[in-house]
Amino acid sequence: MLKQKIILRADGNKLIGFGHIYRLLALADILKEHFYIAFALYKTSDFIEQEIKSYCDEIIILPGELPYKTADEISAGQEINFDLKDILNGDEIVVLDGYHFGINYQKAVKEKNCKLVCIDDLATNRFVADAVINHAPGLDQSIYKMEAYTKLYTGLDYAILRKPFMRPHSSINKIDGDVFISLGGSDYFQLTLKIARLLVDVKELNTLHIMYSNSFPKGMIDTLEKISNETTRLKLYMNLSANEIADLMDTCEYAFVSASTVLLEAYSRNLICFTGFYTTNHFFIYNGFIKLNKAIGLGNLKDLNPSILNEVFKNPDYYPNQNSDNLDTTSKQSDPPAKNLLKLFLDLNLKLRSVELADMKLYFDWANDEVVRNNSINQNAIEWDNHVRWFTDKLKSKYFKLYVLDYSATPVGQIRTDLNEDGNWVINYSIDKLWRGFGFGKKIVQLLIEKEPGKLFLAFVKTSNDLSNKIFQSNGFDLSGVKIINNEKYNAFEYLK
């Protein structure tokens, strides 16, 4: 099957930085096994373009020059003109990350009949997207203005991080007192130099490991290199890969970072994080981390001074709770963010449709799948002639409803309901063996409930079928008891909400 195309749309330069691009590259890293990924942007640095090519199947350089201001200089309603008109066919998923993709740009994408996802940090625009993601923790979702169909995904459960930052962290190579410092890919306000000067003589700290890029102001690079040559306490790193950054973080105890994606990265590596803001798009992440005691707040980094640092270092009780389990792939508390994000994008193209006569063979193959038969009340193999009679009879019956779950026009599962003598609808579902493990079981039950509201649904699930039991419970079904059928135990679930 051909992979569906996702078009990532973001921009970056020395003025606005490269955070939007790197965030979408993290998303590409999560999705690229299951989708064809293209990245559309205005001309940027050769290094960034090479980075994009290492994550994506295609890079699309848009004609013209980047017409952007910084996030602090724009207001609600300001946006760029729609620039994907000649690129979209209508069957893509478009992902927008930036502050200039306003309501008109979003509507233009939707009018092309594409699915739309917006990555957002400001909540200033009204959203007509199918999904909006803001990975800031502790966010009040009521601040968003959006359509009734728009789904909002917030918090660290949807942290958009590259895969090296999702791996289990280790303290084997950690050096007490070492510090990781990163203030963005362009550092327009030259805060890296300011923090380096403030920290280089702090006795509680050891080596300062400073990330920088060739997009930094040249004068600042020259000064940092001069300081680095004069002391062994300051080391500079330029254009590291995600793996190299994660490895470097794992050698450090502390991080001094802006309240952007780099804060989530440092938190995922279990560093004690000092963070601050210097632009409005940092506020949600900053406030969430401070409110939940996941980082130490330094306020506006433009105003950082020795007295603020002295106050922090003389109060060790002020240090945060180090608990990054929800960004760890080993977490048993919830699905890791990468899995949640993959489910989100797969779900965008799921559709529950009524069955057709042409689905007869498909239903037959699904019904005779070994796993399906083992979990069925009737475990005998189904003969074709019997199936033909059963299928054609059920198509005509008003007491029986059959549906197929399609993913981008590919059938991936079935669900049916049978009206019993008590007026209750008994559910039976299955997922194609090639599509198991993507959360489609939970989704197919959810879509059925949405399609037929107000009905009393029943389900009988083998007590040994842990996955199916969890699916009905997660969809709000109540366990009403255990029933013995054909000498086997089945959990009886019912739903009426």
Side-chain angles (χ1 to χ4, degrees):
M1 185 191 75
L2 291 176
K3 293 182 179 180
Q4 186 181 15
K5 189 173 187 177
I6 291 179
I7 295 183
L8 306 177
R9 178 73 186 89
D11 289 296
N13 61 13
K14 292 183 179 181
L15 176 63
I16 67 170
F18 302 96
H20 302 296
I21 291 176
Y22 274 108
R23 184 158 58 182
L24 288 191
L25 291 184
L27 187 62
D29 198 20
I30 293 168
L31 302 177
K32 62 185 180 182
E33 290 184 22
H34 303 280
F35 296 89
Y36 179 93
I37 309 292
F39 203 117
L41 76 167
Y42 287 99
K43 182 67 179 174
T44 186
S45 73
D46 292 341
F47 174 76
I48 294 295
E49 289 182 18
Q50 285 303 122
E51 281 282 274
I52 292 172
K53 290 176 182 177
S54 69
Y55 284 92
C56 301
D57 300 290
E58 179 184 357
I59 183 170
I60 303 168
I61 303 299
L62 300 171
E65 294 185 1
L66 184 64
Y68 278 17
K69 302 176 184 177
T70 65
D72 291 336
E73 295 175 314
I74 66 172
S75 59
Q78 287 186 304
E79 59 180 289
I80 62 172
N81 294 325
F82 183 53
D83 48 25
L84 297 179
K85 179 180 178 181
D86 298 326
I87 295 171
L88 300 179
N89 294 320
D91 54 358
E92 302 95 342
I93 298 174
V94 177
V95 184
L96 305 178
D97 191 342
Y99 314 117
H100 301 75
F101 304 117
I103 188 72
N104 293 324
Y105 198 106
Q106 294 178 52
K107 286 180 177 178
V109 173
K110 295 293 290 179
E111 286 169 2
K112 281 283 191 176
N113 203 33
C114 294
K115 295 290 185 180
L116 176 61
V117 177
C118 291
I119 315 295
D120 179 68
D121 297 312
L122 288 178
T124 55
N125 289 313
R126 182 173 183 84
F127 290 95
V128 298
D130 297 280
V132 177
I133 303 171
N134 184 333
H135 58 195
L139 191 68
D140 177 6
Q141 294 193 353
S142 67
I143 63 175
Y144 273 90
K145 304 179 290 292
M146 56 191 185
E147 299 301 306
Y149 60 79
T150 303
K151 294 185 178 180
L152 183 59
Y153 301 88
T154 64
L156 297 180
D157 284 342
Y158 294 92
I160 305 174
L161 298 178
R162 288 170 288 179
K163 289 180 180 178
F165 301 101
M166 295 290 190
R167 72 192 187 201
H169 48 71
S170 170
S171 60
I172 295 176
N173 298 317
K174 192 176 294 294
I175 301 172
D176 291 344
D178 272 23
V179 184
F180 176 87
I181 299 173
S182 178
L183 280 301
S186 60
D187 197 0
Y188 180 77
F189 299 107
Q190 303 195 39
L191 297 171
T192 301
L193 178 59
K194 178 178 183 178
I195 288 179
R197 283 173 165 162
L198 287 170
L199 297 182
V200 72
D201 294 321
V202 174
K203 62 183 180 182
E204 290 88 353
L205 303 179
N206 192 5
T207 304
L208 310 183
H209 302 273
I210 297 179
M211 290 279 296
Y212 78 108
S213 78
N214 55 11
S215 294
F216 275 29
K218 186 178 185 307
M220 180 169 63
I221 294 176
D222 292 342
T223 305
L224 286 170
E225 290 177 345
K226 182 176 183 295
I227 298 173
S228 179
N229 290 331
E230 293 172 349
T231 175
T232 59
R233 294 195 64 201
L234 192 150
K235 294 183 178 180
L236 301 177
Y237 303 84
M238 180 176 172
N239 296 340
L240 296 186
S241 68
N243 270 311
E244 290 170 330
I245 296 171
D247 288 342
L248 178 59
M249 286 181 173
D250 284 349
T251 69
C252 296
E253 182 179 8
Y254 303 106
F256 277 75
V257 291
S258 55
S260 57
T261 299
V262 69
L263 172 57
L264 277 71
E265 292 172 348
Y267 177 72
S268 77
R269 309 317 305 152
N270 208 35
L271 275 66
I272 296 173
C273 296
F274 297 80
T275 190
F277 55 85
Y278 54 83
T279 181
T280 54
N281 57 298
H282 291 162
F283 286 169
F284 284 144
I285 292 179
Y286 179 83
N287 291 332
F289 267 80
I290 303 310
K291 180 173 68 175
L292 298 176
N293 195 30
K294 295 180 180 293
I296 301 161
L298 301 174
N300 191 331
L301 293 176
K302 298 176 190 176
D303 301 327
L304 189 63
N305 58 60
S307 64
I308 294 175
L309 289 177
N310 289 337
E311 183 68 24
V312 167
F313 282 115
K314 75 179 183 181
N315 289 295
D317 291 339
Y318 187 42
Y319 284 15
N321 295 322
Q322 288 181 267
N323 179 14
S324 58
D325 283 347
N326 53 347
L327 294 182
D328 191 331
T329 55
T330 63
S331 172
K332 295 180 175 59
Q333 301 302 314
S334 62
D335 287 334
K339 186 175 181 181
N340 291 333
L341 289 163
L342 176 58
K343 285 181 180 178
L344 187 165
F345 277 82
L346 290 172
D347 286 355
L348 283 173
N349 282 325
L350 289 177
K351 180 181 179 182
L352 195 65
R353 62 169 174 84
S354 296
V355 78
E356 301 169 354
L357 189 61
D359 298 312
M360 184 185 298
K361 178 63 164 57
L362 186 65
Y363 251 72
F364 175 74
D365 293 338
W366 282 339
N368 277 313
D369 177 272
E370 182 179 357
V371 173
V372 174
R373 293 264 48 84
N374 287 340
N375 286 313
S376 299
I377 292 175
N378 173 19
Q379 298 182 9
N380 297 325
I382 297 172
E383 300 294 333
W384 173 251
D385 290 343
N386 292 336
H387 174 73
V388 170
R389 287 191 293 271
W390 175 89
F391 192 86
T392 52
D393 286 345
K394 298 306 182 185
L395 275 181
K396 301 173 187 176
S397 174
K398 63 181 180 180
Y399 304 112
F400 204 90
K401 295 191 175 182
L402 302 94
Y403 298 100
V404 169
L405 182 67
D406 281 341
Y407 170 69
S408 293
T410 298
V412 297
Q414 65 81 28
I415 192 165
R416 58 187 188 268
T417 58
D418 189 0
L419 186 65
N420 68 13
E421 57 187 17
D422 296 322
N424 305 321
W425 293 87
V426 181
I427 294 176
N428 180 294
Y429 82 92
S430 64
I431 302 298
D432 188 294
K433 61 184 178 182
L434 297 178
W435 291 94
R436 291 168 190 158
F438 294 102
F440 289 169
K442 179 178 179 179
K443 193 67 179 181
I444 199 171
V445 175
Q446 176 190 329
L447 290 174
L448 174 70
I449 293 170
E450 293 173 357
K451 199 173 191 72
E452 300 186 8
K455 289 187 175 180
L456 177 60
F457 292 109
L458 302 180
F460 300 99
V461 183
K462 267 189 176 181
T463 55
S464 59
N465 188 349
D466 293 336
L467 179 59
S468 203
N469 279 292
K470 289 177 182 177
I471 284 171
F472 283 104
Q473 289 171 333
S474 65
N475 273 298
F477 281 72
D478 296 318
L479 180 61
S480 59
V482 177
K483 190 171 183 179
I484 305 298
I485 306 175
N486 294 340
N487 296 318
E488 295 198 65
K489 291 182 179 180
Y490 288 78
N491 284 328
F493 290 98
E494 60 181 33
Y495 180 95
L496 180 59
K497 302 294 183 182

